[in-house]
């Protein structure tokens, strides 16, 4: 479905600095099936069902001068249709705008859907537009996004998560870890938070013994411990010299995370489930995270991520963005303090290009923008589309 509008004609007259305008947008709802149902601690505690697919909202923007940008947001288990519906409601507000005025456009989109708030599904829908605008801006400059932002490095340490989910038998986790390291990935993260803590510790001991003491190793409890359990498990895991314990408590228990961070030698990492910069500010204020883990598609896009990154740098926090490595590689490369980026191979079929990984690091490519184009497979997995365009 394509909607044409006179929105561009109603905008205030632009000054000489406005060299281009947004002319067309294409929204796509894409459902990516997972080869194997995925289970973490939330499944083993009965709070969720195994994950079988990931829903994506893709936004493609085209300007009057012919520049293009592509961005995406995503949702797991629920929310994908809602993101797409909200994006359809607000998309027309971009028509006629200068695509370089990204901050102005972000604010305009927030106010277009003000009654649904400034976090959660609303800002996750906005994120897809925002990422597409940054992709377009970097392409216009002929630069990879990291270079447009001002990179501190051309590669980022990377660790693998997708091989260590709780549904995976321990022997297979060991094989997956070895394969990841052989492929050039630098660290391994496994899921914990099983109702039987002894199971977690036995599994962790096996992984550490298998990969050796020098390989970075992290664990992720996916919010499934209460405060006493997190304290007890954190102490029991100290001997494995973990790089961090991720989401040991409920995502909004900032005080609990702060207490753990103060009492344990192992660093505490959290933040991926928060859906706004404001929510992360509370973590930072209370000292609740040694390592902050924002997710650009969840907090409203790159514009918001950069605001949060400035706050985190001011407190000398480490950065390890969650998921979406295609976006976060660039943002991590532009962060002053040596960061990590998370490797998932799930999204690879969506794009024609792939990322270079070697010697424990993920490399920024020379391709302009994010450096990705949508594949034919992504088009085949599209379940809904919507277009808006300005009338000539």
């Amino acid at each position: 479905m394509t909607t044409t509008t006179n929105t561009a004609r109603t905008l205030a007259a632009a000054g000489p600095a406005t060299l281009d305008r947004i002319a067309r947008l294409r929204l796509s709802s894409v459902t990516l099936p997972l080869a194997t149902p995925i289970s973490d601690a939330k499944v083993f505690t009965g709070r969720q069902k195994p994950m079988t697919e990931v829903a994506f909202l893709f936004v493609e923007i085209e300007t009057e001068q012919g520049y293009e940008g592509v961005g995406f947001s995503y949702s797991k288990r629920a929310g994908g249709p809602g993101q797409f519906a909200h994006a359809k409601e607000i998309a027309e507000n971009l028509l006629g705008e200068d695509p370089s005025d990204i901050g102005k456009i972000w604010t305009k989109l927030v106010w277009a859907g003000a009654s649904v708030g400034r976090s959660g599904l609303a800002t996750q829908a906005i994120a897809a537009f925002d990422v597409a605008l940054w992709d377009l801006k970097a392409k216009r400059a002929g630069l990879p996004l990291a270079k447009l932002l001002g990179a501190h490095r051309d590669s980022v340490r990377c660790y693998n998560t997708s091989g260590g989910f709780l549904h995976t038998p321990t022997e297979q986790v060991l094989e997956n870890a070895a394969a990841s390291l052989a492929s050039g990935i630098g660290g391994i993260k496994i899921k914990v938070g099983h109702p039987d803590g002894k199971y977690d510790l036995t599994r962790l001991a096996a992984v550490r013994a298998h990969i050796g003491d020098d390989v970075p190793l992290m664990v992720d409890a996916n919010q499934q411990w209460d405060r006493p359990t997190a304290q007890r498990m954190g102490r029991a895991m100290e001997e494995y010299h973990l790089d961090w314990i991720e989401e040991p408590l409920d995502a909004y228990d900032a005080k609990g995370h702060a207490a753990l961070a103060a009492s344990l030698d192992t660093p505490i990492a959290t933040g991926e489930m928060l859906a706004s910069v404001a929510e992360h500010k509370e973590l930072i204020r209370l000292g609740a995270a040694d390592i902050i883990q924002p997710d650009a598609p969840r907090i409203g896009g790159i514009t918001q991520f950069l605001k949060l990154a400035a706050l985190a740098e001011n407190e000398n926090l480490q950065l390890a963005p969650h998921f979406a490595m295609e976006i976060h590689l660039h943002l991590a490369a532009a962060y002053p303090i040596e960061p990590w980026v998370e490797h998932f191979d799930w999204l690879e079929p969506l794009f024609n290009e792939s990322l270079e990984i070697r010697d424990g690091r993920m490399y920024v490519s020379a391709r302009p923008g994010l450096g990705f184009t949508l594949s034919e497979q992504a088009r085949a997995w599209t379940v809904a589309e919507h277009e808006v365009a300005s009338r000539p």
Side-chain angles (χ1 to χ4, degrees):
M1 176 183 177
T2 302
T3 301
T4 56
T5 177
N6 286 322
T7 299
R9 309 303 183 194
T10 66
L11 294 175
T18 295
L19 304 177
D20 202 358
R21 292 186 185 274
I22 297 171
R24 180 181 296 273
L25 297 103
R26 179 181 185 181
L27 315 181
S28 303
S29 179
V30 176
T31 301
L32 181 154
L34 298 176
T36 303
I38 302 300
S39 296
D40 57 24
K42 299 187 294 294
V43 174
F44 282 80
T45 57
R47 288 174 168 165
Q48 289 185 344
K49 295 180 180 180
M51 182 167 57
T52 59
E53 61 188 29
V54 182
F56 288 85
L57 166 63
F58 282 97
V59 170
E60 296 166 88
I61 297 176
E62 183 179 340
T63 73
E64 292 176 352
Q65 291 189 4
Y67 289 96
E68 298 179 349
V70 60
F72 67 87
S73 190
Y74 72 93
S75 186
K76 299 175 180 178
R77 292 186 175 87
Q83 286 186 15
F84 181 70
H86 188 62
K88 285 174 59 179
E89 291 180 309
I90 62 176
E92 186 177 318
N93 289 278
L94 280 83
L95 295 176
E97 291 287 357
D98 184 336
S100 293
D101 297 341
I102 303 176
K104 170 189 172 184
I105 294 171
W106 195 93
T107 300
K108 185 177 184 180
L109 293 178
V110 165
W111 281 106
S115 65
V116 292
R118 298 189 181 190
S119 67
L121 185 148
T123 46
Q124 289 164 15
I126 292 173
F129 296 103
D130 187 81
V131 172
L133 289 169
W134 279 102
D135 180 55
L136 189 155
K137 193 169 191 173
K139 287 176 178 173
R140 184 189 291 273
L143 294 171
L145 177 61
K147 295 296 185 179
L148 179 74
L149 296 174
H152 285 265
R153 59 196 64 80
D154 287 351
S155 66
V156 179
R157 295 180 295 177
C158 65
Y159 68 94
N160 178 264
T161 293
S162 51
F165 276 84
L166 271 181
H167 70 273
T168 309
T170 299
E171 285 302 316
Q172 185 62 55
V173 171
L174 302 182
E175 292 180 17
N176 293 344
S180 291
L181 296 174
S183 73
I185 289 169
I188 300 297
K189 187 172 79 179
I190 68 169
K191 299 290 186 174
V192 294
H194 193 281
D196 181 357
K198 293 180 181 179
Y199 176 86
D200 283 339
L201 294 173
T202 299
R203 200 159 169 264
L204 177 58
V207 173
R208 175 51 89 194
H210 189 71
I211 65 177
D213 292 335
D214 295 332
V215 174
L217 178 60
M218 309 84 167
V219 299
D220 182 359
N222 289 109
Q223 310 178 71
Q224 296 309 294
W225 290 332
D226 57 23
R227 291 186 183 187
T229 302
Q231 188 71 52
R232 183 172 61 254
M233 293 296 291
R235 286 175 178 164
M237 291 178 176
E238 296 272 324
E239 65 177 287
Y240 300 107
H241 306 293
L242 302 175
D243 278 56
W244 69 72
I245 297 173
E246 185 171 328
E247 285 197 316
L249 301 170
D250 183 273
Y252 291 90
D253 185 4
K255 289 183 178 180
H257 279 101
L260 278 178
S263 64
L264 297 178
D265 291 338
T266 305
I268 297 299
T270 192
E272 70 176 66
M273 293 303 298
L274 303 185
S276 70
V277 173
E279 293 165 359
H280 282 83
K281 285 172 68 175
E282 184 68 1
L283 289 181
I284 294 172
R285 185 183 71 83
L286 293 174
D290 301 294
I291 301 159
I292 199 79
Q293 296 186 296
D295 184 318
R298 282 183 175 164
I299 64 171
I302 293 170
T303 298
Q304 298 302 101
F305 189 102
L306 295 175
K307 294 179 181 179
L308 176 56
L311 296 174
E313 180 196 351
N314 189 59
E315 295 297 324
N316 295 305
L317 296 181
Q318 294 186 57
L319 177 77
H322 169 255
F323 201 59
M325 61 187 184
E326 293 78 7
I327 299 171
H328 290 135
L329 170 61
H330 294 273
L331 303 182
Y335 190 66
I337 302 168
E338 183 71 35
W340 285 92
V341 69
E342 185 173 26
H343 175 267
F344 272 89
D345 56 11
W346 298 353
L347 276 61
E348 291 178 357
L350 297 173
F351 305 108
N352 294 312
E353 299 80 10
S354 58
L355 289 165
E356 179 186 0
I357 298 173
R358 55 184 167 82
D359 302 323
R361 303 182 72 86
M362 189 179 294
Y363 283 77
V364 177
S365 78
R367 300 185 295 269
L370 292 175
F372 291 94
T373 55
L374 291 181
S375 67
E376 288 303 313
Q377 181 62 78
R379 303 294 185 194
W381 284 333
T382 298
V383 296
E385 290 182 313
H386 181 73
E387 292 189 14
V388 293
S390 300
R391 288 196 179 99

